[in-house]
Amino acid sequence: DSTGNADKPADLLPISFTVNGVDFEMAPIPGGKYQELDFMGEVTATHEIQPFYMMTTGCTQALWAAVMGCNPSKDFGSGKCIGDNYPVNNVSWSDVAGDVDFNKTVYSSSFVAALNKLLGKNFRLTTRAEWMWAARGGDAATLYSGTSNVDELADYAWYNINEDEFSGLHEVAGKRPNCFGLFDMTGNVCEYCVYNSVYGKHENTQCGCSIFAPGVLQISIYGDGPCYGKENGFRLVLSI
């Protein structure tokens, strides 16, 4: 869990990029102080979140193919998971972020390295603290991205009442965004991040995918690496 509130948003507008004919947008996320709590309500860590840009949706299959020249995604469960505007899945943490050397320089043929080369930027995976901060919209009391009311969850997230009835992933941005303009931070694919360091070996996936019921979709739910799952995707950030 967490406590903390966002500073007033910086006077920044969303930015967009085009890669081989495929567009993606990033929203400005304000900074602030973020405190992680244990189950007893004790503060376990405090993070000073610096402002950053975050992809408004998870990486789509079209964007992955535009950067990497292929689409590794697969159908799973009983439903559809394949399409240009669906989130990429069936990628590992290393496929996305590659490895890092002791100077935290990305190497290997990862998506991040390829995208940075194409656009001349320094995209990276989000830290877990940044991800939770952005998903909550800077409000520590928020349980799901966009709302704390389970009766409103269907407005913001794809999910199953019964996780045995999974019917596929969904195209990105099909539900309402949270107050920072971010779609699908609850539901759809789980998203890779790193545990509180800009890059590191501690792999992490954040939030439940749409195979899960509401109880496992709360923002505080996460999984530990090593990570490789058909339900896992990601979104990237840029430091400001």
Side-chain angles (χ1 to χ4, degrees):
D1 204 353
S2 62
T3 65
N5 289 288
D7 296 335
K8 290 183 179 180
D11 229 359
L12 295 171
L13 297 174
I15 55 177
S16 58
F17 298 91
T18 301
V19 183
N20 293 327
V22 178
D23 301 326
F24 67 94
E25 187 173 89
M26 304 187 84
I29 310 299
K33 182 177 288 186
Y34 177 83
Q35 293 182 321
E36 292 186 59
L37 307 180
D38 62 19
F39 292 110
M40 301 299 292
E42 298 293 325
V43 175
T44 58
T46 299
H47 308 280
E48 292 287 346
I49 305 294
Q50 300 302 313
F52 59 96
Y53 284 103
M54 178 178 256
M55 283 181 169
T56 56
T57 72
C59 176
T60 63
Q61 292 172 32
L63 179 57
W64 183 282
V67 173
M68 304 298 283
C70 63
N71 182 6
S73 303
K74 294 182 178 180
D75 284 326
F76 65 102
S78 60
K80 179 176 172 63
C81 299
I82 306 298
D84 282 351
N85 207 36
Y86 282 70
V88 71
N89 69 64
N90 195 48
V91 291
S92 72
W93 196 95
S94 294
D95 291 336
V96 175
D99 296 315
V100 294
D101 64 19
F102 291 112
N103 295 316
K104 297 185 178 179
T105 302
V106 179
Y107 63 92
S108 82
S109 55
S110 68
F111 179 90
V112 169
L115 183 64
N116 285 341
K117 184 176 181 180
L118 284 167
L119 293 180
K121 298 293 183 181
N122 190 27
F123 295 100
R124 59 178 174 84
L125 279 178
T126 174
T127 68
R128 180 175 175 239
E130 287 172 332
W131 194 98
M132 294 179 73
W133 175 257
R136 293 183 190 275
D139 182 351
T142 303
L143 293 179
Y144 308 102
S145 189
T147 184
S148 289
N149 185 347
V150 70
D151 294 330
E152 298 175 352
L153 184 56
D155 294 335
Y156 295 91
W158 300 104
Y159 66 94
N160 285 340
I161 298 300
N162 183 337
E163 64 184 76
D164 294 328
E165 297 174 357
F166 176 64
S167 57
L169 298 176
H170 301 270
E171 292 189 347
V172 299
K175 298 285 188 173
R176 293 177 60 182
N178 74 359
C179 64
F180 286 164
L182 304 174
F183 296 89
D184 302 323
M185 292 292 276
T186 300
N188 236 350
V189 288
C190 301
E191 297 188 358
Y192 289 125
C193 56
V194 293
Y195 193 81
N196 296 336
S197 58
V198 173
Y199 270 113
K201 287 296 186 182
H202 193 138
E203 304 171 18
N204 184 255
T205 51
Q206 197 65 41
C207 205
C209 85
S210 54
I211 193 172
F212 298 126
V216 214
L217 287 180
Q218 292 186 17
I219 291 168
S220 57
I221 302 297
Y222 68 97
D224 253 343
C227 305
Y228 199 131
K230 56 187 178 297
E231 72 276 11
N232 291 342
F234 67 98
R235 70 183 75 204
L236 300 180
V237 299
L238 271 176
S239 297
I240 295 176

